[in-house]
Amino acid sequence: LSWAPDIIHCNDWQTGLIPLYIKDNYSWDKLFANTASLFTIHNVAYQGRFGHGTLTNAEITNDLYYPGGPVEFENTVSFLKTGIVFTDIINTVSETYAREILTNEYGAGMQYVLRERQHELYGIINGVDYEVWNPETDKYIPHHFSINDLSGKSRNKKFQLTRLGLPFDENVPLIGIVSRMVAQKGFDLIAQVMNELMKLDCQFMILGTGEDKYENICRSMEFYYKDKVRAYIGYSNELAHLTEAASDMFLMPSHYEPCGLNQIYSLKYGTVPIVRKTGGLADTVQDWNEYNSYGMDVGNGYSFEAYEGFALENAVKRAINDFHNKPVWEKIMKNGMARDYSWRKSAEKYVELYNKAISKRRG
């Protein structure tokens, strides 16, 4: 190509060798003498770990492989660790997750490596494409609506419930879930309090696939509570959009969530998120009751900290209670709809990190 990039933006373990190649394998090539790198971690649990033979296959010098060395991790060659060690700047996909992965609970063993570089570790929330996820233009929903005219949201709810064969009552909240059905997404908590949730005056629309036991729990919820629950085991892009547009609330009780996107979609659609306060969920969802207790009416959802079923249940109850106070509920909806999580804002922050990396590389 005969041109030198100012920066190479590497994403996850699959690109973890690039910073090493720039600084070692191709250090002789003056073309890359000023090329910096940014390494983005989307999920620290995915570490790209391979056997010792990878050193030869990947042309990594044996001098870098020793206990605690820059490419060695628990007797394997880790591409993730390699990227962390050799890149100029590191970031992950939310400020809270950037702090969490420094801890023993969330670091997946990589926390010790990251702590060595914590002053060069940043968090930037993922952006969303509002040309695709926008209730004013969404091609998958029958009734468009906006922050200035919410009437279409109730019509979407009625459309969705009628289509699903569930009774429509504007005073009964519909709670949506679009997720992989796995413990990491909090389905173990849902299983803990399933019977208690079914006693509440609300309905559920659940969409996704995952572990058999959680799929079967969702099927049983629909079987035993035919007037309250519909579970679609599979994935439908149309149904995902409809669920966002029609639901009054959106449940995301994740054990950990580096960023999360569905809570951001939900905010745009006036679908009030109920989340566990972790990772990107903590950065994008502000608990209405918590902020209201400080005299601030800026909350846009509900959150809980303890990874316990009762904490999830309590958050859902608080949301349902406020749902019946229509002026308060509309305020919460509009607080969320007014937020801007477009890629434009995230891109501006990435440009800042590019400049940091370039400055560091060039000294």
Side-chain angles (χ1 to χ4, degrees):
L1 294 178
S2 297
W3 65 274
D6 291 317
I7 189 162
I8 298 178
H9 188 163
C10 306
N11 287 271
D12 299 317
W13 69 262
Q14 293 89 343
T15 62
L17 298 188
I18 293 175
L20 166 63
Y21 287 159
I22 292 173
K23 292 181 177 179
D24 186 66
N25 299 53
Y26 292 91
S27 61
W28 58 269
D29 192 337
K30 300 304 181 183
L31 187 66
F32 300 111
N34 291 317
T35 297
S37 61
L38 172 68
F39 190 62
T40 298
I41 303 169
H42 290 85
N43 189 331
V44 76
Y46 298 104
Q47 301 175 346
R49 295 167 63 174
F50 302 96
H52 185 268
T54 302
L55 294 173
T56 301
N57 296 332
E59 299 183 356
I60 302 172
T61 175
N62 280 291
D63 293 344
L64 299 175
Y65 185 84
Y66 54 87
V71 305
E72 186 275 343
F73 183 69
E74 296 181 348
N75 297 315
T76 67
V77 177
S78 170
F79 287 14
L80 181 74
K81 181 179 179 181
T82 302
I84 292 170
V85 170
F86 285 96
T87 192
D88 294 295
I89 296 290
I90 310 160
N91 88 287
T92 188
V93 288
S94 69
E95 291 182 7
T96 296
Y97 191 61
R99 294 190 297 270
E100 288 177 338
I101 60 177
L102 298 174
T103 68
N104 293 340
E105 181 177 2
Y106 294 102
M110 207 62 69
Q111 63 269 23
Y112 307 106
V113 182
L114 288 162
R115 287 173 194 167
E116 293 293 322
R117 303 204 60 192
Q118 60 182 304
H119 299 300
E120 296 173 314
L121 171 63
Y122 299 86
I124 299 176
I125 285 285
N126 283 333
V128 299
D129 187 345
Y130 285 138
E131 291 187 8
V132 175
W133 292 95
N134 189 332
E136 298 182 47
T137 58
D138 193 327
K139 66 181 181 180
Y140 293 108
I141 65 176
H143 305 288
H144 293 142
F145 60 97
S146 70
I147 192 171
N148 297 315
D149 181 6
L150 295 170
S151 59
K153 186 162 183 65
S154 180
R155 293 200 295 272
N156 282 313
K157 179 180 177 179
K158 186 173 184 179
F159 172 85
Q160 176 79 320
L161 291 175
T162 301
R163 186 182 184 191
L164 296 173
L166 287 172
F168 169 75
D169 185 336
E170 63 180 13
N171 294 313
V172 176
L174 174 63
I175 302 176
I177 301 174
V178 179
S179 175
R180 287 186 294 117
M181 297 176 178
V182 295
Q184 184 246 312
K185 296 296 185 180
F187 273 79
D188 53 338
L189 296 189
I190 295 173
Q192 285 178 28
V193 293
M194 176 182 68
N195 292 330
E196 297 305 314
L197 293 176
M198 292 301 101
K199 295 175 184 177
L200 302 177
D201 191 19
C202 61
Q203 298 168 305
F204 286 86
M205 172 60 215
I206 308 171
L207 167 64
T209 61
E211 297 178 30
D212 289 343
K213 63 179 178 180
Y214 296 124
E215 289 185 1
N216 290 333
I217 285 172
C218 293
R219 291 188 183 98
S220 67
M221 289 169 68
E222 177 175 342
F223 180 81
Y224 288 108
Y225 300 95
K226 291 183 173 62
D227 289 338
K228 294 178 72 73
V229 180
R230 286 295 179 271
Y232 183 96
I233 308 302
Y235 184 74
S236 162
N237 193 35
E238 177 188 7
L239 192 53
H241 281 253
L242 275 168
T243 300
E244 288 286 6
S247 299
D248 298 294
M249 308 166 190
F250 195 92
L251 184 59
M252 289 183 71
S254 303
H255 181 231
Y256 69 92
E257 194 69 59
C259 177
L261 291 175
N262 276 105
Q263 86 280 8
I264 300 178
Y265 303 152
S266 298
L267 292 171
K268 188 66 174 177
Y269 283 71
T271 303
V272 176
I274 305 170
V275 305
R276 179 159 179 267
K277 191 180 288 188
T278 184
L281 302 179
D283 290 351
T284 54
V285 179
Q286 286 73 50
D287 187 279
W288 170 262
N289 300 133
E290 178 183 349
Y291 279 82
N292 202 40
S293 69
Y294 299 126
M296 296 183 286
D297 61 353
V298 298
N300 58 11
Y302 298 84
S303 62
F304 62 96
E305 291 197 45
Y307 195 70
E308 301 287 348
F310 75 85
L312 183 159
E313 179 189 349
N314 178 262
V316 173
K317 286 180 176 178
R318 289 191 287 116
I320 292 174
N321 181 66
D322 287 337
F323 174 80
H324 295 295
N325 187 333
K326 295 307 178 184
V328 166
W329 194 255
E330 184 172 319
K331 175 62 176 172
I332 299 170
M333 291 171 65
K334 289 185 174 181
N335 283 350
M337 296 178 79
R339 298 293 178 89
D340 180 7
Y341 289 107
S342 65
W343 269 114
R344 179 187 61 80
K345 293 193 70 175
S346 297
E348 291 171 355
K349 294 179 180 179
Y350 271 108
V351 170
E352 292 178 11
L353 290 193
Y354 292 163
N355 287 328
K356 286 180 184 291
I358 292 169
S359 295
K360 182 186 177 188
R361 176 68 167 159
R362 298 178 182 179

